[in-house]
Amino acid sequence: MQQFYANESVFQVLFITLVLGGGCALLAGRAIALTWRSIWIAAVAMIPMGLAVRFVHFALFNETLWQPQTYLLETLLLMAISCLAFQRTRAWQMVKQYYWLYEPSGPLGWRLRQDAPSNS
């Protein structure tokens, strides 16, 4: 961990990256899903979010601003959180919006109801 974060404790890294950055990624993924956009938008939106998290590490704890490995790690983590929040929200949307057609299938999915009307 010293090679990635020289001036920070584990608590500081987890707080900035997971609590602040992860919370923003969660809210962004949810908001993007609520506007019926693609999951790719949720993933791409985390690229500048990763830069923002990197800047907070730099501004508060005197870390190096541009560390490619750390930026990549943090951005991938933010993308994962954002995409999970997106998928959870999309599953909730599909079940709520089309209640006569779909039912929940786990926390991240939906499936066709057994009693759904058929096209034939």
Side-chain angles (χ1 to χ4, degrees):
M1 174 119 157
Q2 284 292 22
Q3 63 187 355
F4 293 118
Y5 301 98
N7 301 324
E8 294 181 72
S9 70
V10 173
F11 174 73
Q12 291 168 332
V13 170
L14 292 177
F15 181 74
I16 299 299
T17 304
L18 289 181
V19 175
L20 295 180
C24 290
L26 185 107
L27 292 173
R30 183 177 181 275
I32 291 167
L34 287 173
T35 57
W36 294 94
R37 292 190 172 110
S38 171
I39 193 168
W40 296 108
I41 294 174
V44 171
M46 293 304 106
I47 293 171
M49 184 78 70
L51 290 171
V53 168
R54 195 72 228 134
F55 179 77
V56 171
H57 286 291
F58 164 75
L60 293 180
F61 304 109
N62 200 25
E63 288 291 334
T64 305
L65 181 59
W66 180 243
Q67 284 184 309
Q69 300 91 355
T70 308
Y71 167 71
L72 183 64
L73 178 71
E74 290 172 349
T75 303
L76 289 175
L77 179 67
L78 294 175
M79 283 182 180
I81 293 170
S82 176
C83 288
L84 282 172
F86 177 96
Q87 189 61 35
R88 175 65 190 121
T89 304
R90 180 57 48 92
W92 173 80
Q93 280 179 304
M94 293 299 287
V95 171
K96 183 179 176 218
Q97 182 90 19
Y98 305 107
Y99 58 88
W100 70 91
L101 197 55
Y102 298 114
E103 62 187 8
S105 175
L108 300 176
W110 62 92
R111 65 175 171 244
L112 196 61
R113 294 175 60 104
Q114 296 289 349
D115 58 347
S118 63
N119 289 341
S120 51

